[in-house]
């Protein structure tokens, strides 16, 4: 079985490869496609050497040619970032300067990112459909829902969008309540980064009421719950997943970033730059263990500071660095895959019929959310099995959630139209539909500014 | 047949009375309830004397007792404004200062107004249900949809909410296209101040496409269409009614008010104050004709400057005054009722079975908009007849409109809950659901500030 | 204004013309199209001479050319019966012999009638669309829903289907309960001859509970309610209209016809034959008054025996004749139009904007019944006005009614497909979908037998 | 893990026990509850001794006390037949004599069976809820959907209804088309014995079109497809499961039984009687092998003649006996569980989290079929896992199927009401709702006759 990775030099890839190699998934070959040479020499090389160190020499290969990577692939992961970290900073700035949510995936930031990404990814999909017509594309590229929507509507490739936010939220809730995760049934639904948990049963007993009642405790138990107002959550009767924060607290978020003085994107840009240099340096003076040590330390800092700027108004990076330094680097071997790669491997285990089961994925709605269209991409639990991805029936969501989902999905559909037609006017009209964008006039301004600042990446918009 | 008017000293009332007296509706008695003495002496007196001047001496009476007005009433108009024009200025300021839409009926402004109004109006409804159990309350009090929702759910009074925005929009479209209004069929639906026209047929031929194609012309034809982006409207495939502007251009609106230097509320406060003084003065030195002349001139200025600040960034009051002065005062007699009173009289003509017909009203949804609940108050065309109000089936609305309506109706339902329970926390949570409010933190701040600044009117919120 | 009547020699036409001439509808010209000479000499002549007698000489004309009648028409009534009364007897026999409901409009009988009628009526529609493109066709031809469905989907003609069953049921209920009909609001919905009343308010007070509680009384009050089981109706929570009897009591109906020894169709064949002879004879020996006397007496007998065979197992014709003879003939002048023509005239009054109002019609569903498609023809209350026909939103129907309507509408859609494609196999498959047909094997047998016995009328089915 | 079986002396139980003992499900104890002594001495004893013979001595126990069986049970199978085979013959006769479908589970036959069963099974549920509150009841008792509906609404027991019809149909389709069953995804939905397959993909490619195109072949491939008219199935665009035959061909079925001269129930009564005698005799003269040989031969005859009478008009029993005799008895050991028990074991494997997966079950609808209520029991694919049973979202069904399902579910809900209230009138009204029952008059007659002939079993209906 061959796995291809688009964006094979991404900073998450070494950890990802380590997870994949530690999993049951029997990949004979993993081909990392990365056009950037510096990336190939740093994160790419680290991934390749990790395979050697973990006893799978030759299992991972690097290439600068997409077609070479995609040829004969059974599964493809997409983790590309068109324009790199620098583009993300622009995405955020253009919005934030206007007092608008400038998050990577949500609102104008996600819009700009999607506009850069869709044409590129659709062109890879053309190659894939030609080279390996039966392959399944597992999409991590953000904004996951939007990108998956574009591929689903405008390519012949089978695609599943993956994000670990909802499943990790469920894991944390099970941990909080002391429930055996295997005994949990839940109801979750929405779009990527815009989903709610409306039911949580353990051994057939509904516990959502308990979770809502104890929401203050939950906030202390885990940072992902801390951003929400407990009274609001209780009134809602459902637990929002973390990214809903940007819809529930846009003004607080904008103020927090202003207080911090730098957006998450700016911090990540610096962190990643440091990370690549550190890997380069480690390989210059030592071997894979040194590179892994530097890598795992800085990735740990990155993880520990996640969403801190947006919710707390300070990145807390210094504290995170101190803590990580004290703890020392992660071991090179033996990790059970978690996060994105964990979900992706569940999808593969299901699709290869090795272990069919329930996975929350971004997939065609069918009849899962009755208020959307069958071909809308939604984020819902699905049975993933040898025959494909079959969404579960999602129960009633809160009415205000239905409102936000409806509008956001319309934005997504219109933005995909804009990207595939290259119509700059449509892009602005699409952005104006987004719940976090205060009107069409400002949407036009922002699209215009994005187009100017992102240069060749958005030059196709006319 | 007896008509009672709650808020009988409102500035619209003299014109309203003039319209009613010129209509087919056979009211033997019109009782104006007005607790404020200065109002009774100015607008109230003007209304009473207009009746005399129009040959209906004694038809209109003033009272400071609600029960006296409501006793034996067949129909009741509610046009109260709790807190007066001064409160409106506060409503707008608190939002505008935060860069949030501070409009009278939409967003935080409408929320504060509703919170002041609901308890007062529900207490009148209790009196009415006792005094005149069969009476129908025709509600003009803004925000019309929200107030009608509260009365419908929490009183035993039959209520119909009335606004002339959609019908006047349809009239203008017919005028633009040169169609006989009698030959027009249309599809309109939404909530009060949040409605869209999705079909417009003349003699059975669909003309909405023509209207959308010619939207640039339409903007010059009539100011109510001027605020919208033609490309956006075309993409939408439906014509939004004027108040949708606040949802489609919140940032532009906030900037426009800043440019103008004063909100519409501030201008209206000054205009009304001038108006009352002018009436007082006219009665001091002359008679009803002088008072009417002063009144009609200033009301004309008010009408001519409507929405100018919000869309254009200047009130254009000077120009309006000059034009009105040049034109001279309106004649005292003979006007056919238009605007709010025109719609209200259509409702009365229907309910008394004199002339059943189609009227756009705010009423229980039933099955009219399939995505809302039967007991949600919606603004839709209905057959108004001797048996009551029967909503028409409204066709498909644009998906982004469904999103906005869904969320806004949820806000309305939650705000009504807050008002009837007097729960200040619920009020903030409700406000946070509004599409124009950027989060729960800022909603809490605004509710808290409203509570402080509106003194006794919001002291019941705890 | 010109009215054309297709099937101008139908037995109902003289009464119909008398009603139309007594109404407010200002027809300058009424053109009766009737290809059968004997009909023209009897009922046709009676209609023409009635106009003279009522002071409108020349207003009614007879023609044997469809195009002549349709040329310049503003409204067209269709009352054709392809194959005449003899065909109806076959329609009923083929089903009854198999123990299946053999009613004129419902089940196999209606299916055969529709198959004969659709091609003929669509050919007239082609002429009409060419001659008088703006005309509105008011369809009485049974089965009204099915025929209207065919015209709506397969011609360019504006069509409204009309039946007086639901409105007359509502009138009777108002009479029973002593309510002013003007103060009644109701909820009614379904298909033609398959509709239910689920709400009945008087002055805003729901009275359906009272009607259900007193259903035994209602059965004695009026024969149209007598066929139903009171406990069943109460359990249902809605009042079925009379033709639902064939769905609720098919076995009882079949047994009743067997007991009576002759189906309604056979009785009507004899009565009509007698009627035409009597008119012929009256004109031979006397004038229009004699012809009218004979006509009105026999039409009275027909009306008085309506549904008696089907529900009671005897036609009670002898008793009806005796009663009518004793009462003497109806007066020639002065009748207010009722029944079908009353409803048709309401439609015309609405469409000409003379008197817009609520009429129960067969029209495009739009969003009226949420569980059907927008282009399904349904029978619902609609606002009929100068702009066209706008259906009201129909509230929740009983679930078993939804089941019957869903299946029956599917039968109708499939039968229309069969008729327009001329596919005999599709006709059988369509008939098999009908709730009263026990399977596809028997449906094939019946279609085959109809095809054989109806000769040229069904020869197009291959 | 303890398994209790209600109806432990049923004729299917020995085969069932053999299957369970050959499966992965680790039952330490299987307790068969059987009140009838003759059954305990025959099928009961055979089941017990099969366990010994298969190397699990003592694993199976017999008891005549329900509480003893249910105490401490983790799972309970219900396979009771109140009134035994003799009652089934009455169920069928009462309907057939009137020319109405008299099938065991569908129509009047199923109605009578449900009325006998519901009170008895609900009383066991009370015991179970008390003794073993966490246990899951897996219901095989027919009519499965109706009985599961009753338990779900009127007991505190967790229940899953199981039938192998849809899964075996899917297996056969996969076999026909040569597809790896693991690569198949499908859409199936409806009620028990009233379900349709609307999609069938292999490796992500839709194949339903191929299956419909080749339906004639399919009929020869497997008898379960033979009963349907290929043109009808193609027009439908979906593959009905076998019991839909009774809805699609009621007249053909009634004629077939008449031709055969004995209903399936009468044949089964004789076969079972012969079976019990043969077991008794075998144990008298030999041991478990002899009893199993006699048993497996006669059960084979039973299986081979399944539905033959109903579709072909002859039972073909002689031929089946000859074939089975020639083939010799089935081996005692080694069978992989199939049929009902196979599905039940999949449910257990899922619920114990040993092997979560997709199983078609009868369960609460939730949002699976959008046109039914959340608490309706439906037959749909569900993910069965440690957390419970989560239905998949079922895509669009054919409209005529929606009609039949809607009406049949309403019948089921009303019949459950009748059974739990013991109201004989309600029972007749419920039966009248069934699509195969020609009216309320005949429904009353049948309920009355059932009540008389079933003596004590239906004496509770008043």
């Amino acid at each position: 079985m061959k796995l291809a990775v688009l964006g094979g030099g991404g900073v998450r890839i070494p950890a990802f490869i380590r997870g994949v190699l530690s999993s049951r998934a029997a990949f004979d070959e993993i081909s990392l496609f990365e056009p950037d040479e510096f990336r190939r020499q740093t994160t790419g090389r680290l991934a390749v050497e990790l395979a050697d160190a973990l006893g799978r020499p030759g299992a991972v290969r690097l290439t600068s040619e997409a077609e070479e990577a995609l040829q004969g692939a059974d599964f493809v992961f997409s983790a590309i970032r068109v324009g790199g970290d620098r583009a993300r900073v622009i995405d955020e700035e253009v919005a934030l300067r206007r007092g608008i949510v400038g998050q990577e995936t949500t609102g104008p930031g996600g819009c700009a990112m999607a506009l850069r990404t869709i044409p590129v990814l659709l062109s890879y999909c053309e190659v894939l459909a030609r080279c390996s017509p039966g392959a399944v594309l597992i999409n991590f590229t953000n904004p996951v829902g939007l990108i998956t929507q574009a591929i689903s509507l405008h390519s012949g490739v089978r695609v599943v969008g993956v994000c670990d936010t909802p499943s990790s939220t469920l894991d944390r809730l099970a941990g909080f309540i002391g429930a055996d995760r295997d005994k949990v049934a839940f109801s979750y639904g929405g779009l990527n980064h815009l989903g709610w948990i409306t039911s949580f049963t353990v051994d057939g007993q509904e516990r959502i009421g308990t979770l809502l009642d104890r929401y203050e405790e939950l906030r202390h138990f885990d940072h992902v719950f801390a951003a929400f107002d407990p009274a609001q959550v209780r009134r809602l009767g459902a637990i929002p997943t973390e990214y809903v924060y940007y819809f529930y607290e846009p003004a607080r978020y904008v103020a927090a970033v202003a207080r911090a003085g730098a957006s998450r994107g700016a911090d990540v840009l610096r962190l990643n730059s440091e990370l690549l240099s550190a890997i380069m340096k480690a390989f210059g003076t030592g071997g894979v263990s040194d590179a892994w040590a530097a890598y795992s330390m800085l990735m740990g800092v990155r993880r520990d500071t996640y969403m801190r700027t947006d919710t707390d108004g300070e990145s807390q990076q210094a504290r995170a660095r101190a803590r990580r330094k004290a703890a020392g680097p992660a071991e090179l071997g033996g990790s059970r895959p978690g996060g994105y790669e964990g979900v992706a491997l569940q999808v593969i285990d299901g699709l290869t019929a090795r272990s069919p089961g329930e996975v929350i994925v971004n997939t065609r709605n069918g009849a899962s959310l009755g208020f959307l269209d069958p071909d809308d991409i939604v984020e819902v639990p699905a049975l993933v099995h040898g025959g494909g991805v079959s969404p579960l029936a999602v129960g009633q969501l809160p009415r205000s959630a239905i409102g936000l989902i409806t509008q956001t999905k319309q934005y997504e559909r219109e933005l995909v139209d804009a990207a595939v037609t290259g119509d700059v006017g449509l892009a602005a009209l699409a952005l104006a539909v987004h719940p976090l964008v205060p009107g069409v006039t400002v949407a036009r301004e922002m699209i215009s500014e994005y187009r100017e600042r992102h240069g060749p990446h958005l030059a196709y918009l006319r």
Side-chain angles (χ1 to χ4, degrees), chain A:
Chain A
M1 207 161 62
K2 176 176 175 182
L3 171 68
V5 180
L6 301 173
V11 296
R12 289 165 172 277
I13 299 302
F16 175 77
I17 289 298
R18 177 171 164 258
V20 169
L21 293 175
S22 313
S23 78
R24 297 182 300 180
F27 288 112
D28 307 307
E29 184 186 349
I30 302 176
S31 183
L32 305 179
F33 162 63
E34 175 55 59
D36 182 80
E37 196 180 341
F38 186 54
R39 291 272 178 168
R40 287 202 302 275
Q41 288 175 4
T42 49
T43 42
R45 178 173 167 191
L46 176 55
V48 169
E49 299 201 6
L50 272 172
D52 302 346
L54 292 167
R56 294 284 308 280
V60 176
R61 292 172 196 215
L62 271 173
T63 173
S64 60
E65 296 299 325
E67 187 154 352
E68 187 186 324
L70 298 173
Q71 190 69 51
D74 298 288
F75 289 95
V76 180
F77 290 167
S78 171
I80 64 171
R81 181 177 283 278
V82 178
D85 296 323
R86 247 168 255 287
R88 174 179 176 178
V89 177
I90 296 170
D91 291 349
E92 294 179 355
E93 268 179 21
V94 168
L96 281 165
R97 196 156 38 75
R98 288 169 171 86
I100 297 171
V101 167
Q103 206 274 336
E104 181 189 14
T105 61
T106 294
C111 168
M113 191 180 186
L115 288 171
R116 287 198 306 282
T117 307
I118 290 171
V120 176
L121 205 43
L122 287 180
S123 76
Y124 293 145
C125 283
E126 263 181 56
V127 177
L128 180 61
R130 188 162 29 81
C131 291
S132 313
V136 174
L137 176 64
I138 298 181
N139 177 51
F140 302 96
T141 296
N142 267 324
V144 163
L146 235 162
I147 301 299
T148 307
Q149 183 78 64
I151 296 171
S152 170
L153 290 178
H154 297 286
S155 87
V157 168
R158 289 173 70 186
V159 62
V160 182
V162 159
C163 173
D164 63 335
T165 293
S167 58
S168 83
T169 309
L170 289 161
D171 292 347
R172 286 156 210 242
L173 291 175
F176 173 72
I177 214 169
D180 177 355
R181 184 67 181 78
D182 269 355
K183 299 291 187 180
V184 168
F186 61 88
S187 186
Y188 168 83
L191 307 181
N192 178 242
H193 289 185
L194 189 60
W196 286 261
I197 295 160
T198 56
S199 167
F200 191 93
T201 69
V202 184
D203 267 323
Q205 302 299 309
E206 183 59 78
R207 305 296 299 277
I208 193 84
T210 308
L211 291 168
L212 295 170
D213 287 348
R214 296 175 57 192
Y215 199 85
E216 275 89 354
E217 281 176 70
L218 203 46
R219 295 173 81 198
H220 295 109
F221 175 78
D222 197 304
H223 185 252
V224 304
F225 303 109
F228 295 103
D229 181 310
Q232 186 184 26
V233 171
R234 269 198 288 274
R235 177 75 178 169
L236 192 66
I239 295 176
T241 49
E242 55 192 343
Y243 282 81
V244 177
Y245 171 70
Y246 300 103
F247 291 86
Y248 280 3
E249 289 281 24
R252 188 180 139 200
Y253 157 80
V254 170
V257 176
R259 213 156 60 238
S263 73
R264 173 69 174 168
D267 283 351
V268 164
L269 172 63
R270 277 189 293 269
L271 269 169
N272 284 352
S273 167
E274 182 181 350
L275 180 80
L276 297 181
S277 303
I279 295 173
M280 199 58 155
K281 197 171 141 206
F283 276 126
T285 61
V288 63
S289 304
D290 303 285
W292 173 256
Y295 171 85
S296 67
M297 212 277 289
L298 282 161
M299 286 301 282
V301 171
R302 179 173 168 173
R303 192 158 42 246
D304 293 352
T305 55
Y306 175 66
M307 275 190 86
R308 293 284 171 188
T309 293
D310 299 359
T311 60
D312 304 351
E314 46 170 335
S315 72
Q316 305 184 350
Q317 206 181 107
R319 200 163 60 175
R321 281 177 188 269
R323 200 165 43 210
R324 285 284 167 180
K325 195 159 285 173
E331 281 185 39
L332 200 149
S335 163
R336 192 167 144 269
Y340 277 56
E341 63 267 30
V343 178
L345 291 168
Q346 278 184 284
V347 170
I348 290 173
D349 278 356
L351 289 177
T352 55
R354 181 182 299 115
S355 171
E358 184 181 33
V359 192
I360 297 176
V361 290
N362 288 265
T363 190
R364 275 185 92 255
N365 180 42
S368 186
L369 296 177
F371 58 92
L372 293 183
D373 292 339
D375 65 354
D376 285 329
I377 296 295
V378 296
E379 188 169 274
V380 291
L383 176 71
V384 181
H385 57 122
V389 173
S390 305
L392 269 69
V394 173
Q396 193 60 34
L397 290 168
R399 187 149 77 163
S400 61
I402 291 174
L404 283 172
I405 292 167
T406 302
Q407 231 181 310
T408 303
K409 176 46 69 181
Q410 183 59 17
Y411 146 74
E412 291 187 2
R413 293 295 291 249
E414 300 203 12
L415 196 73
V416 170
D417 281 359
V420 298
T421 58
D423 183 327
V424 71
L426 280 190
L429 295 178
L431 181 54
V433 174
H434 195 289
L436 295 174
V437 173
V440 66
T441 299
V442 77
R444 287 197 188 283
E445 285 170 27
M446 288 191 288
I447 290 292
S448 172
E449 191 174 339
Y450 281 131
R451 198 168 161 282
E452 201 175 314
R453 294 188 58 186
H454 282 307
H457 293 307
L458 294 188
Y460 78 100
L461 289 175
R462 281 159 208 283

